[in-house]
Amino acid sequence: GVTKTLRVKVMVKSGSSRTIILTVQKPYDVKLMDAQYNVSINPDNATAGTFGVITSTTATVASGSLTVTLSTASPSGNVALDATNVLLAKFDLKALGEAMKFSSLDVNVSSNGTTWTNMRNVRLVLDGSQIGTTQASLVDAADNTITVTFTLAAGVASSLAIRGDLSAPVTGGDP
């Protein structure tokens, strides 16, 4: 007898930490043909004419990952002062391996000696729709946690924009 290897490949779209096992339970689960005599052959389990359950080794699906890259549409130079709904940053997101659910995102503004008290009404926009609440202002050089509720589907590219209003510094105190 000639031994042939059966290889099964699967593409997993989601389901991290789950296991995959291929099992041939009955002889009719697999149809084998003899190439020389063109007749059906029953699979056996090392002893001619007998059949036992054949089970593969267990494969575990790896955890998903998130890819975040700065979008080419993200501004890289100066932005307009005294403007509303200014695009401050834009990121390309992609969940790989499984859908990913988010409940909060941190926005951190860092500057070169400038205090960002004139950055107002900061909001996150995912694929054209605002997510989370508008932040009246941000704390400079600190994580500003914004509560959101959204899920990125596995393998689907999304775009996350940070938008806000920029106003000239106010003398005599901030309104």
Side-chain angles (χ1 to χ4, degrees), residues 33-49:
M33 294 291 289
D34 183 294
Q36 185 176 1
Y37 297 107
N38 200 29
V39 293
S40 295
I41 312 168
N42 284 334
D44 64 38
N45 200 15
T47 305

Side-chain angles (χ1 to χ4, degrees), residues 52-165:
V53 174
I54 302 168
T55 303
S56 69
T57 57
T58 301
T60 302
V61 179
S63 296
S65 62
L66 176 66
T67 302
V68 179
T69 55
L70 186 64
S71 173
T72 56
S74 190
S76 60
N78 295 333
V79 292
L81 189 58
D82 289 329
T84 59
N85 199 31
V86 176
L87 178 62
L88 303 171
K90 191 169 189 178
F91 300 93
D92 297 323
L93 310 175
K94 192 169 190 179
L96 301 170
E98 65 182 317
M100 294 192 174
K101 184 176 180 178
F102 295 83
S103 58
S104 68
L105 291 175
D106 289 340
V107 175
N108 189 311
V109 178
S110 61
S111 60
N112 296 333
T114 303
T115 302
W116 290 102
T117 56
N118 58 343
M119 188 181 297
R120 307 263 187 230
N121 301 321
V122 177
R123 57 207 163 276
L124 301 176
V125 179
L126 181 69
D127 296 329
S129 298
Q130 181 173 337
I131 55 172
T133 56
T134 299
Q135 304 299 298
S137 63
L138 298 179
V139 177
D140 190 22
D143 287 339
N144 296 272
T145 302
I146 300 175
T147 301
V148 296
T149 303
F150 70 94
T151 302
L152 291 178
V156 178
S158 292
S159 176
L160 176 69
I162 302 173
R163 295 190 164 273
D165 302 340

Side-chain angles (χ1 to χ4, degrees), residues 20-39:
I20 300 170
I21 301 172
L22 174 68
T23 304
V24 179
Q25 296 283 328
K26 306 287 182 190
Y28 51 77
D29 286 342
V30 177
K31 178 159 176 123
L32 305 171
M33 294 291 289
D34 183 294
Q36 185 176 1
Y37 297 107
N38 200 29
V39 293

